[in-house]
Amino acid sequence: MRLPTLVAMVSCFAVGRIQADGPSDNLPDQVRRVPPPGLKIPDADRAELAAGVAELGKEIESLRGELRSKPALLDLLPDAQIYHKAVDWALRYDEFYKSNEVQVARALLQQGMERAKALRGGWAPWTNATGLAARGYASKIDGSVQPYGLVVPASYQAPAAQKYRLDFWFHGRGETLTELAFINDRQKSAGEFTPPNTFVLHLYGRYCNANKFAGEVDLFEAVDNVQRHYPIDENRLVVRGFSMGGAACWQFATHYAGLWAAAAPGAGFAETADFLKVFQNEAVKPTGYEQKLWHLYDATDYALNLFNCPTVAYSGEIDKQKQAADMMAGALKAEGIELTHVIGPKTAHAYQPGAKEEINRRIDSIAARGRNPVPARVRFTTWTLRYNRMCWVSVDALEQHWQRARVDAEIAAEEQRVRANTRNVSALTFLMPPGYCPLDNTQRHEVVLDGQKLEAPPVASDRSWTAHFRKEGQRWAAGESAEDGVLRKRHGIQGPIDDAFMDSFIMVQPTGQALSEQVGQWTAAEMRHAIDHWRRQFRGDAPVKNDSDITDDDISSSTLVLWGDPGSNTLLARIASQLPIRWDAQGVRTPEANYPADRYVPVLIYPNPLNPNRYVVVNSGFTFREYDYLNNARQVPKLPDWAIVDISVPGSSRAPGRIANAGFFGEQWEFKAPPKEAGQR
């Protein structure tokens, strides 16, 4: 079967590369560059495009000021900026990979200028058009402009009273999938699936990371942008993808199962360890903390959650990536669920036509019925408060992170009762939105938690209901809020280090004198590495400010990534005594060990003592490195909440130095000594 252009170009680990993805990509000392070096373009073309970029950039900056009093039009400025960024970055970072991309760049600059001039004239015709469209938004994470593709159904007419189904499509792996290539593809190809009367949102997903971290947030920011401009039915959202996009689909389906009407993953990978052994032929030897951190993204660990999301998986019969659905089938079977798995006969890494028709028949039927936001029963499992909600159940605190937590909750409306059994949960909330609570709002009712009966708060007149509960010792008690005023791990403030880069952050550059020359050189080099690789892998310019320029608003709104040491960084000096790992001219000290100041550096994440609603990170960007870029299953956290780095050992494609020790803070962010074997490299 001939695949559409996009899938053929960017599918994860295409058939011809399967063997090559083995031993050659398992050598940490011989790591190829991702993205790869681009082609040299003629000087005349470069000069022409640079002039066009400058002209469009000037027009955009002028518009930014002119539209300040016209917020509706200003909100559409990213729709022009995506074209500017696509060509600017291709020029600036030598990311032209095909001979025809110079002509593509010319066309994109023209489109960007046309949109800019339309906005200056007070209109935006592309927002009412049907067919293929490239759109954009400004990310809350780093302020970067990110593109997405949209297929607008022919039946859409603005303004429309009808609400439309929306399908998400997650693309496959493509190491040359720059913004330039993505936008060009999205304006030419409708993609693999285009159901009638359905919007299809193609995620760029921050390039080539299987929609992890900032690529995960990309989905929610993009759909928010779409919902502001089009009438989308939030109960008919469907997640789909193939290959690397299939891996992304498994991840979204299991971690956010309560949001979707249906999920349709194809191929991909669903977990880390077995996939790397089977597909990558890699000898996987994780540290203890790395193995725990696999629980962040391994979809097999969250398989139970598909109880809440109808799922139709697809694999080619002879595709090595059938392994993903087989692993998920086993994990679901352990939970008493039989996976619906459509298999394309004698098919490798592609959709077989008959199987594709069967998938569409099933998904269309499910999507027509739509999602029930308040089902009578919710079954939920998680390992971290980053993923803490399923339908009307929200887990507010765990007894222990990185151990399995479960909630099995049921509404017994005829008994005016809600029952729930929990494991490894110490606080939770039941939250039903207006109009959806089936309990009688004229009667008293109760909640039974782990066999303990508690009086529940009343149902409001709008038929909404919220009830908070927290464990006190081994007994549950009702509360007024999900918060109890104690510093503890909670959703969005639970670590590990990589979690800091899923929301607004600022890289804080030191301006003072380092405690030692070695530390100063290492922190400067690691900061440059973090900024450069954020740009390469997550396609944004990391915000950077000097320590002396940080404002109260910065402290309020963003994670502060503090580089340097307490001698060179004034903000780090200001909070150093309030961190659970101490650092001064005498050395680095944990409650269990001391480390010399000229050889060891701590990296960590912690609630900012100046604003506990935001993180502070010390001397770290995202923690997977160059070796991990070569296979998306490797792109998971490599460090936990804290680590002590021996900087006498040079940084490598796998680590910033020798990891002398590393571990997780406790549930109240206290220091906990890790197992002796953890963190040794």
Side-chain angles (χ1 to χ4, degrees):
M1 173 183 177
R2 182 176 177 83
L3 292 172
T5 303
L6 176 61
V7 176
M9 288 177 57
V10 302
S11 62
C12 172
F13 316 116
V15 175
R17 290 194 54 203
I18 284 179
Q19 298 303 318
D21 279 344
S24 64
D25 278 351
N26 294 340
L27 303 174
D29 296 330
Q30 299 179 30
V31 173
R32 57 187 166 80
R33 191 181 190 276
V34 178
L39 302 173
K40 178 176 174 57
I41 66 172
D43 291 342
D45 289 337
R46 177 174 288 276
E48 176 196 347
L49 293 177
V53 165
E55 182 184 8
L56 180 55
K58 184 177 179 181
E59 180 73 7
I60 286 170
E61 284 309 305
S62 173
L63 272 174
R64 196 188 308 278
E66 183 175 318
L67 298 180
R68 193 169 293 129
S69 61
K70 302 173 182 178
L73 290 173
L74 184 62
D75 184 54
L76 298 175
L77 190 58
D79 289 341
Q81 290 175 280
I82 57 173
Y83 295 102
H84 176 267
K85 178 184 178 182
V87 183
D88 182 33
W89 277 38
L91 283 171
R92 189 180 304 185
Y93 302 114
D94 293 320
E95 292 181 344
F96 287 93
Y97 295 107
K98 294 181 178 179
S99 58
N100 72 329
E101 286 189 333
V102 169
Q103 185 57 39
V104 170
R106 290 191 183 103
L108 296 193
L109 286 174
Q110 181 179 345
Q111 286 181 276
M113 187 61 75
E114 288 171 355
R115 285 191 176 183
K117 289 181 177 178
L119 289 173
R120 188 176 294 280
W123 64 309
W126 63 92
T127 63
N128 295 325
T130 60
L132 307 184
R135 303 292 304 265
Y137 72 90
S139 171
K140 67 176 181 178
I141 296 177
D142 55 10
S144 64
V145 172
Q146 296 295 326
Y148 63 88
L150 200 62
V151 181
V152 181
S155 59
Y156 171 69
Q157 288 185 330
Q162 173 190 353
K163 288 195 172 184
Y164 285 80
R165 167 182 159 186
L166 172 67
D167 285 16
F168 298 90
W169 178 259
F170 310 122
H171 65 72
R173 183 175 176 89
E175 293 180 7
T176 61
L177 190 66
T178 63
E179 292 83 352
L180 187 81
F182 176 79
I183 293 171
N184 184 50
D185 288 340
R186 297 282 42 86
Q187 295 184 150
K188 290 183 176 179
S189 171
E192 190 72 62
F193 295 95
T194 53
N197 300 315
T198 299
F199 283 77
V200 181
L201 173 55
H202 289 258
L203 270 294
Y204 183 51
R206 299 284 186 133
Y207 173 57
C208 192
N209 51 60
N211 286 93
K212 296 176 182 174
F213 305 109
E216 176 181 333
V217 179
D218 183 64
L219 179 147
F220 298 101
E221 294 203 276
V223 74
D224 179 68
N225 190 267
V226 170
Q227 288 175 319
R228 290 205 306 272
H229 300 113
Y230 300 96
I232 301 301
D233 184 348
E234 64 180 12
N235 291 323
R236 290 194 295 145
L237 305 178
V238 176
V239 286
R240 312 176 82 144
F242 185 76
S243 200
M244 184 186 79
C249 188
W250 282 120
Q251 187 266 117
F252 281 116
T254 55
H255 290 67
Y256 297 99
L259 298 180
W260 321 124
F269 59 92
E271 43 67 58
T272 305
D274 190 74
F275 180 81
L276 290 176
K277 292 174 186 175
V278 170
F279 187 84
Q280 189 66 33
N281 301 317
E282 181 176 359
V284 182
K285 299 178 181 178
T287 61
Y289 60 79
E290 285 177 306
Q291 199 161 4
K292 285 186 176 181
L293 288 166
W294 285 345
H295 294 307
L296 181 67
Y297 274 124
D298 278 5
T300 47
D301 286 335
Y302 296 79
L304 173 68
N305 296 338
L306 295 185
F307 175 85
N308 307 284
C309 178
T311 300
V312 179
Y314 169 77
S315 303
E317 184 180 21
I318 57 174
D319 186 358
K320 286 184 70 174
Q321 291 187 45
K322 179 175 175 289
Q323 179 264 1
D326 290 341
M327 293 294 290
M328 287 300 298
L332 283 164
K333 193 175 186 65
E335 302 290 357
I337 301 171
E338 192 74 24
L339 176 66
T340 299
H341 188 187
V342 178
I343 298 176
K346 300 179 182 179
T347 303
H349 200 56
Y351 280 101
Q352 190 267 346
K356 187 173 176 180
E357 291 177 6
E358 177 65 12
I359 294 165
N360 283 338
R361 184 183 68 80
R362 291 174 180 269
I363 292 296
D364 290 348
S365 175
I366 296 165
R369 181 174 181 179
R371 173 189 73 126
N372 179 3
V374 183
R377 188 182 182 193
V378 171
R379 298 180 70 194
F380 178 45
T381 189
T382 190
W383 301 74
T384 166
L385 293 176
R386 164 50 61 184
Y387 305 107
N388 74 322
R389 185 159 183 185
M390 187 62 59
C391 302
W392 48 273
V393 175
S394 176
V395 174
D396 302 319
L398 298 178
E399 293 174 352
Q400 180 63 59
H401 265 76
W402 311 113
Q403 294 181 10
R404 184 183 292 280
R406 289 180 182 264
V407 179
D408 191 340
E410 187 174 10
I411 305 168
E414 70 285 353
E415 302 173 19
Q416 296 304 305
R417 180 179 294 165
V418 172
R419 290 188 293 264
N421 292 313
T422 73
R423 188 172 85 189
N424 191 30
V425 174
S426 57
L428 79 167
T429 295
F430 299 137
L431 183 84
M432 300 181 190
Y436 279 98
C437 182
L439 300 172
D440 191 329
N441 61 1
T442 67
Q443 296 187 33
R444 299 171 67 87
H445 47 277
E446 65 182 11
V447 169
V448 182
L449 285 178
D450 298 325
Q452 179 187 342
K453 295 181 180 180
L454 298 110
E455 185 176 344
V459 176
S461 63
D462 64 354
R463 305 208 68 82
S464 65
W465 183 60
T466 303
H468 305 285
F469 302 93
R470 183 173 294 276
K471 268 188 177 176
E472 298 176 355
Q474 296 301 310
R475 301 285 293 174
W476 287 99
E480 295 296 321
S481 168
E483 302 296 330
D484 63 353
V486 175
L487 180 66
R488 65 172 76 248
K489 290 187 173 181
R490 52 190 171 82
H491 173 64
I493 303 289
Q494 78 289 308
I497 290 169
D498 294 80
D499 194 68
F501 303 97
M502 294 178 75
D503 207 338
S504 173
F505 71 89
I506 300 171
M507 300 282 191
V508 183
Q509 183 170 256
T511 56
Q513 183 68 37
L515 295 176
S516 76
E517 182 179 357
Q518 297 93 323
V519 169
Q521 291 175 349
W522 182 88
T523 56
E526 280 298 305
M527 180 178 177
R528 289 193 299 271
H529 183 279
I531 293 170
D532 181 35
H533 286 261
W534 181 264
R535 194 272 307 166
R536 291 191 204 176
Q537 302 306 316
F538 290 109
R539 313 304 290 181
D541 290 318
V544 180
K545 295 184 77 169
N546 288 338
D547 54 357
S548 55
D549 295 330
I550 293 296
T551 65
D552 289 342
D553 183 62
D554 294 329
I555 294 170
S556 173
S557 64
S558 300
T559 286
L560 302 183
V561 185
L562 305 180
W563 296 92
D565 60 39
S568 63
N569 191 306
T570 56
L571 277 168
L572 185 51
R574 187 175 167 188
I575 65 172
S577 64
Q578 300 176 69
L579 299 178
I581 295 176
R582 300 302 173 89
W583 189 16
D584 55 30
Q586 283 66 54
V588 178
R589 297 186 299 282
T590 72
E592 63 169 6
N594 296 330
Y595 302 87
D598 62 347
R599 180 176 169 183
Y600 293 92
V601 171
V603 301
L604 60 89
I605 189 169
Y606 193 74
N608 188 346
L610 305 177
N611 174 20
N613 292 318
R614 293 285 183 177
Y615 290 121
V616 64
V617 173
V618 176
N619 288 321
S620 185
F622 63 91
T623 63
F624 61 90
R625 293 168 79 96
E626 290 89 337
Y627 175 75
D628 307 305
Y629 305 161
L630 305 184
N631 189 299
N632 296 107
R634 293 175 180 161
Q635 292 174 317
V636 291
K638 301 301 177 183
L639 292 176
D641 295 344
W642 63 269
I644 307 297
V645 183
D646 180 354
I647 64 173
S648 69
V649 177
S652 69
S653 69
R654 303 199 73 174
R658 185 180 73 86
I659 307 303
N661 208 352
F664 298 92
F665 294 120
E667 294 307 307
Q668 295 188 24
W669 286 99
E670 74 278 14
F671 182 88
K672 294 182 69 176
K676 291 299 182 182
E677 71 276 10
Q680 302 303 314
R681 277 191 194 169

